[in-house]
Amino acid sequence: MLPQHMKKAITDNPKKLANLIDLINLPSTLREFVGQSQISRLGCFMRVWSYIKTNNLQDPKNKNLVNCDEKLRSILLGKHQVELAELPSLIKLHFPKEPK
Amino acid sequence: MGKVPPSLRSAIATTLMKKQSSSLIPKESTTTTPPHNPQHFPRKPTTRKTKSHDSPQTQTQIQTLFKSPNLSDAKKLFNSIISTNPKFPLDLRFHNSLLQSYSSISTVQDSISLLNHMIKSHPSFSPDRSTFHILLSQSCKAPDPSLSSVHQTLNLMLNHGFAPDKVTADIAIRSLCSAGRVDQAVELVKEFSSKHSVPDTYTYNFIIKHLCKARSLSLIDDFIEEMRDNFDLKPDLVTYTILIDNVCNMKNLREATRLVKVLKKEGFKPDCFVYNTIMKGYCMLSNGSEAIGVYNEMKEEGVEPDLVTYNTLIFGLSKSGRVKEAKKILRVMTEKGHFPDTVTYTSLMNGLCREGDALGALALLEEMEVRGCSPNSCTYSTLLHGLCKARLLEKAKELYGVMKAGDMKLETAAYATFVRALCREGRIAEAYEVFDYAVESKSLTDVAAYSTLESTLKWVKKAKEQGNII
């Protein structure tokens, strides 16, 4: 069985779900990358991940690392290299926080 | 994994359905299946007698003939068909097909108008019960807060000399229920019972099954009581089985036991289906002992266990950690001439995995194939989950490769466990790849797949910070 922290599916928590899938009016930083004026956090993640794959930005020696090109750098805090593991949290920075 | 494997679930559903004859849907005429049960009311006698001289091609041509719901266009189209060289024989089936085609895209009112137009312009056409059934089905399926258009169709039918019979009732009730209009279906049943005739047991059981899905127990009880007191329509063994299955799914085995007492009092003897349903109820609660109790009672009462019984029992025992006994049942099963199938093996694998013997479970995969059973996505997911839990990540990866090659879907628990196992080992890129597969194969929704990935990564990060990567 799933451990306790995974049992509470995100879909059961409407606030968390909304935070993930609601469309947000984008700050200018993201607008250029995404090419749309609105996107959800989930949609943004999918876009960024897809961009990474299409442009072969994963480091050939260590696929857990991403070598950012200029466009990616513009939305990932200017970093030249990020860890795949950090990707969700980096993207989350662009989005409004969950209301407590 | 606490779920009933999908194949077992459907096994129980289909055994219930087998007891009720195949459902009646007024599709294109000649394909009605002959009834198995001798008591079954004959359906659509006229249309079944007409031999099919239309090629299937013309049938499909008729089905998509009407493109626009506009009534005057439809009338014009009809006129042009019968006046130009007809490649279709202008019989009842032809008119029915046209009406069917038009009614699927228009309103009830317009369909009735088209029918009247057909009658007026082609006097040799005389609508039959089946024609009205087409209209009836449409009026039941369309969303409508009241029964007014249904009543309208029924009155039209009456005016043409066809009183609603059990077939009419069956079509109406099934269509209403499938459109989610259960309360109206109940209302209509009561109307039919008082004005025309009581619905037959198949209709009755169908509506009770839908009530179980959509309404409370007390409402169902009231309905049963009302039908019994006012119309002398009583639950039969199938009805009781449906009710028992319903309460078992609500984990209320006490109520299930009470229902068995009731059905015995009413003069029925529990059959294999009833026992299987109760056994399944106990298995879902991981109560292996009670499940065995049911098995023993069956044998005492002279009811021969069938494949579903054995599969249920093996599933339940495996789930409760009693794999040795499950294997014993497997032996009994084969001795009695029942062949273990995919469900049997998957259940055993589940049990072995729970005991930590993931390799033993994997070995069963080979045995399955030798016996000619094809593993399904549940089988693979069970194994994947078990291998991950047993920390056999390389084997898990191998199995995942087989799954991908076979286009197998990942079940939620297996996906989550696999992603976690990979992340725990720092194999983040591989975890992302599994995420991609889960999304692409539609094993999970985007939201579910992503949320699991995100929360797992968070968990790994936290564990690292706290200095414990387990």
Side-chain angles (χ1 to χ4, degrees):
Chain A
M1 289 306 301
L2 288 175
Q4 201 55 41
H5 66 265
M6 280 186 194
K7 266 188 187 161
K8 294 195 178 15
I10 196 168
T11 38
D12 292 343
N13 186 330
K15 279 212 188 115
K16 289 216 168 106
L17 181 62
N19 183 266
L20 190 56
I21 63 176
D22 278 351
L23 297 177
I24 305 292
N25 288 321
L26 283 180
S28 47
T29 44
L30 273 188
R31 215 176 297 172
E32 243 195 77
F33 183 90
V34 166
Q36 285 166 209
S37 54
Q38 286 188 328
I39 203 169
S40 66
R41 180 156 68 83
L42 177 58
C44 185
F45 171 83
M46 297 300 236
R47 278 297 191 85
V48 173
W49 172 226
S50 173
Y51 182 84
I52 292 172
K53 281 182 286 182
T54 321
N55 293 294
N56 291 314
L57 295 175
Q58 280 169 286
D59 192 304
K61 281 182 255 156
N62 179 357
K63 296 250 168 165
N64 291 346
L65 294 173
V66 177
N67 297 320
C68 303
D69 64 1
E70 208 182 308
K71 276 191 101 175
L72 255 194
R73 254 178 279 151
S74 71
I75 60 167
L76 294 181
L77 302 180
K79 292 191 176 190
H80 286 267
Q81 202 180 55
V82 298
E83 281 189 47
L84 260 190
E86 299 176 280
L87 196 59
S89 46
L90 285 171
I91 292 180
K92 205 168 186 179
L93 292 174
H94 292 278
F95 288 83
K97 282 210 161 135
E98 269 167 60
K100 280 290 173 187
Chain B
M1 301 211 293
K3 332 185 285 182
V4 181
S7 19
L8 180 60
R9 229 182 282 146
S10 55
I12 295 205
T14 48
T15 48
L16 275 178
M17 288 317 281
K18 266 194 221 156
K19 288 173 86 176
Q20 308 190 12
S21 184
S22 53
S23 73
L24 167 70
I25 313 271
K27 280 211 278 251
E28 298 312 316
S29 352
T30 42
T31 51
T32 48
T33 52
H36 308 288
N37 189 324
Q39 297 161 317
H40 193 92
F41 194 87
R43 298 187 170 175
K44 286 195 188 168
T46 46
T47 49
R48 217 184 303 135
K49 287 202 189 118
T50 57
K51 278 296 169 203
S52 133
H53 40 241
D54 279 4
S55 65
Q57 221 184 5
T58 50
Q59 274 301 315
T60 41
Q61 280 177 330
I62 295 178
Q63 269 173 353
T64 51
L65 207 48
F66 289 95
K67 304 269 191 252
S68 143
N70 183 305
L71 180 58
S72 47
D73 286 350
K75 286 186 184 171
K76 282 193 215 136
L77 188 56
F78 176 72
N79 291 337
S80 69
I81 292 171
I82 55 170
S83 54
T84 57
N85 186 11
K87 29 177 186 161
F88 316 113
L90 300 179
D91 59 357
L92 174 69
R93 268 186 64 228
F94 169 70
H95 287 97
N96 279 354
S97 307
L98 284 183
L99 189 61
Q100 173 81 35
S101 162
Y102 184 61
S103 68
S104 60
I105 57 169
S106 64
T107 64
V108 182
Q109 282 303 112
D110 286 349
S111 303
I112 294 179
S113 305
L114 184 67
L115 177 62
N116 288 330
H117 174 83
M118 280 202 241
I119 297 171
K120 250 195 289 180
S121 47
H122 198 205
S124 64
F125 165 56
S126 168
D128 176 67
R129 186 176 287 278
S130 53
T131 322
F132 293 105
H133 284 169
I134 293 173
L135 288 176
L136 182 61
S137 174
Q138 181 200 10
S139 63
C140 288
K141 289 197 191 139
D144 188 336
S146 79
L147 282 173
S148 51
S149 50
V150 176
H151 284 144
Q152 194 182 5
T153 318
L154 289 169
N155 286 333
L156 186 67
M157 205 169 150
L158 261 169
N159 292 341
H160 279 262
F162 296 102
D165 62 0
K166 291 181 202 260
V167 180
T168 319
D170 194 80
I171 293 175
I173 300 307
R174 283 182 198 258
S175 306
L176 282 170
C177 285
S178 64
R181 296 162 68 178
V182 179
D183 297 315
Q184 291 176 352
V186 171
E187 202 187 309
L188 200 62
V189 165
K190 295 183 193 169
E191 256 181 54
F192 274 153
S193 304
S194 41
K195 286 198 211 153
H196 309 289
S197 65
V198 177
D200 66 12
T201 66
Y202 302 100
T203 316
Y204 176 68
N205 285 335
F206 183 85
I207 195 173
I208 292 209
K209 189 147 189 226
H210 267 261
L211 282 171
C212 283
K213 283 192 233 170
R215 297 284 176 270
S216 69
L217 269 185
S218 57
L219 196 137
I220 300 169
D221 282 341
D222 288 344
F223 174 70
I224 293 179
E225 214 181 291
E226 206 179 317
M227 295 306 289
R228 189 195 345 241
D229 295 341
N230 297 350
F231 308 110
D232 206 29
L233 184 58
K234 297 199 194 108
D236 67 358
L237 195 57
V238 175
T239 328
Y240 283 112
T241 314
I242 293 172
L243 293 170
I244 290 173
D245 188 43
N246 187 37
V247 297
C248 282
N249 289 338
M250 297 197 285
K251 312 202 183 201
N252 189 345
L253 269 296
R254 226 178 78 209
E255 177 66 12
T257 322
R258 187 191 72 88
L259 281 167
V260 174
K261 291 208 183 88
V262 170
L263 73 86
K264 282 185 184 166
K265 209 166 50 142
E266 294 289 318
F268 294 104
K269 184 168 184 241
D271 63 358
C272 200
F273 296 98
V274 175
Y275 283 118
N276 286 349
T277 311
I278 300 179
M279 192 189 279
K280 178 180 156 205
Y282 283 121
C283 289
M284 295 307 286
L285 298 172
S286 294
N287 194 333
S289 313
E290 287 287 355
I292 292 186
V294 175
Y295 174 61
N296 290 332
E297 186 182 324
M298 272 177 95
K299 291 192 291 182
E300 277 165 32
E301 294 290 322
V303 179
E304 187 64 29
D306 67 358
L307 179 64
V308 176
T309 320
Y310 289 115
N311 273 348
T312 312
L313 200 48
I314 289 176
F315 169 73
L317 289 170
S318 297
K319 191 167 174 274
S320 317
R322 293 159 75 158
V323 181
K324 272 214 195 76
E325 292 168 75
K327 285 191 176 165
K328 259 195 244 159
I329 301 289
L330 181 63
R331 277 198 293 274
V332 172
M333 181 180 173
T334 32
E335 275 164 29
K336 294 267 175 168
H338 296 280
F339 293 111
D341 61 5
T342 310
V343 176
T344 328
Y345 281 107
T346 310
S347 306
L348 279 169
M349 287 175 182
N350 186 21
L352 288 168
C353 287
R354 278 167 185 260
E355 287 187 334
D357 185 10
L359 288 174
L362 201 54
L364 277 183
L365 195 62
E366 265 188 65
E367 187 179 320
M368 262 181 101
E369 312 234 337
V370 164
R371 298 279 191 104
C373 290
S374 306
N376 59 20
S377 53
C378 186
T379 320
Y380 284 115
S381 293
T382 308
L383 282 171
L384 188 63
H385 182 87
L387 288 168
C388 290
K389 286 261 154 164
R391 308 294 177 104
L392 297 168
L393 194 50
E394 281 316 312
K395 286 241 178 260
K397 199 83 215 277
E398 224 184 281
L399 190 71
Y400 169 67
V402 174
M403 280 178 86
K404 269 179 75 172
D407 283 320
M408 292 282 165
K409 291 201 176 180
L410 278 162
E411 290 191 353
T412 318
Y415 167 73
T417 312
F418 192 33
V419 164
R420 196 147 116 265
L422 288 168
C423 289
R424 196 200 284 129
E425 300 294 309
R427 293 158 78 158
I428 310 293
E430 290 173 71
Y432 268 71
E433 191 276 323
V434 177
F435 163 75
D436 281 339
Y437 180 67
V439 168
E440 177 205 309
S441 63
K442 300 208 199 284
S443 305
L444 283 91
T445 59
D446 288 9
V447 176
Y450 174 73
S451 315
T452 304
L453 180 65
E454 190 185 33
S455 56
T456 307
L457 290 171
K458 241 199 250 170
W459 170 79
V460 168
K461 180 165 179 210
K462 203 169 186 191
K464 262 202 219 147
E465 284 168 4
Q466 293 174 345
N468 17 308
I469 269 292
I470 310 109

